[in-house]
Amino acid sequence: MSGRFITLEGGEGSGKTTQIQLLHAVYKEAGHACVVTREPGGGAGADAIRQLLLTGVEDKWHKVSETLLFQAARVEHVEHVIKPALHRGDTVLCDRFLDSTIVYQGISKGLGADYVRALHQLTLGNVQPDVTLILDIDPAVGLTRAKARAGDETRFENMGTGFHSQVREGFLSLARIEPERCKVIDASQSAEEVHKAIRKAVGL
Ligand code: T5A
């Protein structure tokens, strides 16, 4: 696969969607083919699973079922959207990927990071991002930003501050384990400053 696979990760309201759009504009301006996508989602099957996962009460799913649903959506996404784009040589900009499952289900919900990694290996092999940008922000600030937008996809937002603090620490721990792939970006800055830091991190 010749394309570059870039993921954005971080807590709720850390600015991933905003930054993906800004980065996409840079690629577009340069005339470079680029696919923007997100998880859970990316294709009809994965979008249907997204609805199951993000709406409703916090304890709607057992952590094992929840993890399997995220990974089922990921298989649809990788096989139908990500791999074809990378084979064409396109850059893929993806809002969340496997690291979100490692952090949210593996670390914060206590299923174990190794469990999540093993499931990924079993279902998708070695599909991994080339670069991961971790947008780091105080969860209280991020949640305030996220709650300002309308919609019913609030299941994870409602999981409490302790849960979201573990999410933040979880992402930072991944960056310590894989510093070459995972670049931590201070997401408390203005959107323009965050964009500049991201461009530097991806070499644009
Ligand atoms: N999940 C996901 C798992 O548990 N396991 C998994 O495996 C996966 C894939 C996804 C949820 O699912 C969980 C994690 C999530 O809880 P989602 O709706 O996709 O749900 O939620 P988020 O990914 O968190 O998306 P959000 O829309 O909440 O946040 P973003 O995309 O990080 O932030 P963005 O860009 O939409 O910005 C939010 C607001 O802040 C403003 C924006 O204008 C917007 O209003 N903003 C800023 N304001 C000030 N300064 C800045 N620098 C700003 N940047 C953006």
Side-chain angles (χ1 to χ4, degrees):
M1 291 189 282
S2 56
R4 195 176 187 205
F5 183 20
I6 300 174
T7 57
L8 276 82
E9 297 279 5
E12 339 296 306
S14 53
K16 300 177 305 303
T17 310
T18 305
Q19 293 303 326
I20 279 192
Q21 285 163 359
L22 292 171
L23 198 52
H24 183 214
V26 175
Y27 279 107
K28 225 166 130 187
E29 175 92 17
H32 184 88
C34 183
V35 170
V36 173
T37 188
R38 69 170 179 187
E39 289 205 347
D47 284 337
I49 297 172
R50 178 183 175 94
Q51 185 66 14
L52 294 175
L53 282 164
L54 300 195
T55 61
V57 292
E58 293 99 283
D59 61 356
K60 177 175 172 185
W61 297 107
H62 186 277
K63 59 190 173 186
V64 171
S65 320
E66 184 173 288
T67 303
L68 294 173
L69 284 168
F70 274 116
Q71 192 63 18
R74 183 161 302 127
V75 171
E76 290 298 307
H77 188 206
V78 167
E79 298 298 348
H80 297 301
V81 178
I82 295 178
K83 276 188 185 169
L86 294 176
H87 278 300
R88 286 194 304 270
D90 296 359
T91 293
V92 173
L93 300 178
C94 186
D95 187 339
R96 298 193 182 279
F97 193 66
L98 172 64
D99 294 315
S100 279
T101 319
I102 291 173
V103 167
Y104 281 79
Q105 284 66 46
I107 297 174
S108 300
K109 292 206 171 185
L111 198 56
D114 289 346
Y115 183 106
V116 175
R117 287 195 180 96
L119 179 66
H120 186 77
Q121 181 66 36
L122 191 66
T123 51
L124 282 168
N126 292 324
V127 177
Q128 286 284 359
D130 299 302
V131 183
T132 296
L133 304 158
I134 295 177
L135 271 57
D136 179 55
I137 196 162
D138 179 340
V141 177
L143 284 167
T144 304
R145 284 185 191 170
K147 281 181 178 155
R149 58 154 167 64
D152 62 350
E153 292 184 342
T154 55
R155 189 170 155 252
F156 282 86
E157 276 168 34
N158 296 335
M159 285 185 187
T161 48
F163 178 83
H164 291 289
S165 296
Q166 279 182 303
V167 166
R168 183 187 198 183
E169 284 311 311
F171 280 122
L172 294 175
S173 73
L174 292 188
R176 285 192 291 274
I177 297 167
E178 287 188 77
E180 283 305 308
R181 174 174 70 88
C182 300
K183 310 291 178 197
V184 178
I185 308 285
D186 175 3
S188 67
Q189 309 172 88
S190 71
E192 195 45 50
E193 288 300 316
V194 177
H195 177 59
K196 270 192 212 156
I198 285 178
R199 285 187 68 159
K200 195 172 164 204
V202 298
L204 279 177

Coordinates of all heavy atoms in Angstrom, one line a residue, residues 5 7 9 97-99 102 117 128-134 174-175 177-184 201:
F5 N -1.2 6.8 5.9 CA -2.3 6.7 6.8 C -2.1 7.5 8.0 O -1.2 7.2 8.8 CB -2.5 5.2 7.1 CG -3.7 4.8 7.9 CD1 -4.8 5.7 8.1 CD2 -3.8 3.6 8.6 CE1 -5.9 5.3 8.8 CE2 -4.8 3.2 9.4 CZ -5.9 4.1 9.5
T7 N -3.8 9.3 11.5 CA -5.0 9.3 12.4 C -4.9 10.5 13.4 O -3.8 10.9 13.7 CB -5.1 8.0 13.1 OG1 -4.0 7.7 13.9 CG2 -5.4 6.8 12.2
E9 N -6.3 11.5 17.2 CA -6.8 10.9 18.4 C -6.9 11.9 19.5 O -6.3 13.0 19.4 CB -6.0 9.7 18.8 CG -5.9 8.5 17.9 CD -7.1 7.6 17.9 OE1 -8.1 7.9 18.7 OE2 -7.1 6.6 17.2
F97 N -9.1 5.8 15.5 CA -8.8 4.4 14.9 C -8.6 3.5 16.1 O -9.1 3.7 17.2 CB -7.7 4.5 13.9 CG -7.5 3.2 13.1 CD1 -8.5 2.9 12.1 CD2 -6.4 2.4 13.2 CE1 -8.4 1.7 11.4 CE2 -6.2 1.3 12.4 CZ -7.2 0.9 11.5
L98 N -7.8 2.5 15.9 CA -7.5 1.4 16.9 C -7.1 2.0 18.3 O -7.5 1.5 19.3 CB -6.4 0.5 16.4 CG -5.9 -0.5 17.4 CD1 -7.0 -1.5 17.8 CD2 -4.7 -1.3 16.8
D99 N -6.3 3.1 18.3 CA -5.8 3.7 19.6 C -7.0 4.1 20.4 O -6.9 4.0 21.7 CB -4.9 4.9 19.3 CG -3.6 4.5 18.6 OD1 -3.0 3.4 19.1 OD2 -3.2 5.1 17.7
I102 N -8.1 0.9 22.2 CA -7.1 0.6 23.2 C -7.3 1.4 24.4 O -7.4 0.9 25.6 CB -5.7 0.7 22.7 CG1 -5.4 -0.3 21.6 CG2 -4.6 0.6 23.8 CD1 -4.1 -0.1 20.9
R117 N -5.5 -5.3 21.3 CA -4.5 -5.4 20.2 C -4.6 -6.9 19.6 O -4.5 -7.0 18.4 CB -3.1 -5.3 20.8 CG -2.8 -3.8 21.1 CD -1.2 -3.6 21.4 NE -0.9 -2.2 21.7 CZ -0.8 -1.7 22.9 NH1 -0.9 -2.5 23.9 NH2 -0.6 -0.5 23.1
Q128 N -2.0 -0.5 10.6 CA -1.7 0.5 11.6 C -1.5 1.9 10.9 O -1.0 1.9 9.8 CB -0.4 0.1 12.3 CG -0.5 -1.0 13.3 CD -1.2 -0.6 14.6 OE1 -1.5 0.6 14.8 NE2 -1.3 -1.5 15.5
P129 N -1.8 3.0 11.6 CA -1.4 4.3 11.0 C 0.1 4.5 10.9 O 0.8 3.9 11.6 CB -2.0 5.3 12.0 CG -2.8 4.5 13.0 CD -2.4 3.1 12.9
D130 N 0.5 5.3 9.9 CA 1.9 5.7 9.8 C 2.2 6.8 10.8 O 3.3 6.8 11.3 CB 2.1 6.2 8.4 CG 1.9 5.2 7.3 OD1 2.5 4.1 7.4 OD2 1.0 5.4 6.4
V131 N 1.2 7.7 11.0 CA 1.4 8.8 11.9 C 0.1 9.0 12.7 O -1.0 8.9 12.1 CB 1.7 10.1 11.2 CG1 1.9 11.3 12.2 CG2 2.9 10.0 10.3
T132 N 0.2 9.2 14.0 CA -1.0 9.4 14.9 C -0.7 10.7 15.6 O 0.3 10.9 16.3 CB -1.2 8.3 15.8 OG1 -1.5 7.1 15.1 CG2 -2.3 8.6 16.8
L133 N -1.7 11.7 15.5 CA -1.6 13.0 16.2 C -2.5 12.9 17.3 O -3.7 12.7 17.2 CB -2.0 14.1 15.2 CG -1.2 14.1 13.9 CD1 -1.9 14.8 12.8 CD2 0.2 14.7 14.2
I134 N -2.0 13.0 18.5 CA -2.8 12.9 19.7 C -3.1 14.4 20.2 O -2.1 15.1 20.7 CB -2.1 12.1 20.8 CG1 -2.0 10.6 20.3 CG2 -2.8 12.2 22.2 CD1 -1.2 9.7 21.3
L174 N 0.2 5.9 25.5 CA 0.5 5.4 24.1 C 1.7 6.2 23.5 O 2.5 5.6 22.8 CB -0.7 5.4 23.2 CG -1.9 4.5 23.6 CD1 -2.9 4.5 22.4 CD2 -1.4 3.1 23.8
A175 N 1.6 7.5 23.6 CA 2.7 8.3 23.0 C 4.0 8.0 23.7 O 5.1 8.1 23.0 CB 2.3 9.8 23.2
I177 N 4.9 5.0 24.7 CA 5.3 3.7 24.2 C 5.8 3.8 22.8 O 6.7 3.1 22.4 CB 4.1 2.7 24.4 CG1 3.7 2.5 25.8 CG2 4.4 1.3 23.7 CD1 2.4 1.8 26.0
E178 N 5.1 4.6 22.0 CA 5.4 4.7 20.5 C 5.6 6.1 20.1 O 4.9 6.7 19.4 CB 4.2 4.1 19.7 CG 4.1 2.6 19.7 CD 3.0 2.2 18.7 OE1 3.3 2.1 17.5 OE2 1.9 1.9 19.2
P179 N 6.7 6.7 20.6 CA 7.0 8.1 20.3 C 7.2 8.4 18.8 O 7.0 9.5 18.4 CB 8.2 8.5 21.1 CG 8.9 7.2 21.4 CD 7.8 6.1 21.4
E180 N 7.7 7.5 18.1 CA 7.9 7.7 16.6 C 6.6 7.9 15.9 O 6.5 8.8 15.0 CB 8.7 6.5 16.0 CG 10.2 6.5 16.3 CD 10.9 7.8 16.0 OE1 10.7 8.2 14.8 OE2 11.6 8.3 16.8
R181 N 5.6 7.1 16.2 CA 4.3 7.2 15.5 C 3.4 8.2 16.1 O 2.7 8.9 15.4 CB 3.6 5.8 15.5 CG 2.2 5.8 14.9 CD 1.6 4.5 14.8 NE 1.2 3.9 16.1 CZ 0.1 4.1 16.7 NH1 -0.8 4.8 16.2 NH2 -0.2 3.5 17.9
C182 N 3.4 8.3 17.4 CA 2.4 9.1 18.1 C 3.0 10.5 18.5 O 3.9 10.5 19.4 CB 1.9 8.4 19.4 SG 1.1 6.8 19.0
K183 N 2.4 11.6 18.0 CA 2.9 12.9 18.3 C 1.9 13.6 19.1 O 0.7 13.7 18.7 CB 3.2 13.7 17.0 CG 4.0 13.0 15.9 CD 5.4 12.8 16.4 CE 6.3 12.1 15.4 NZ 7.5 11.6 15.9
V184 N 2.3 14.1 20.3 CA 1.3 14.8 21.1 C 1.3 16.3 20.8 O 2.3 16.9 20.6 CB 1.7 14.6 22.6 CG1 0.7 15.4 23.5 CG2 1.7 13.1 23.0
A201 N 4.3 18.4 12.5 CA 4.4 17.0 12.9 C 4.3 16.1 11.7 O 4.9 15.0 11.7 CB 3.3 16.7 13.9

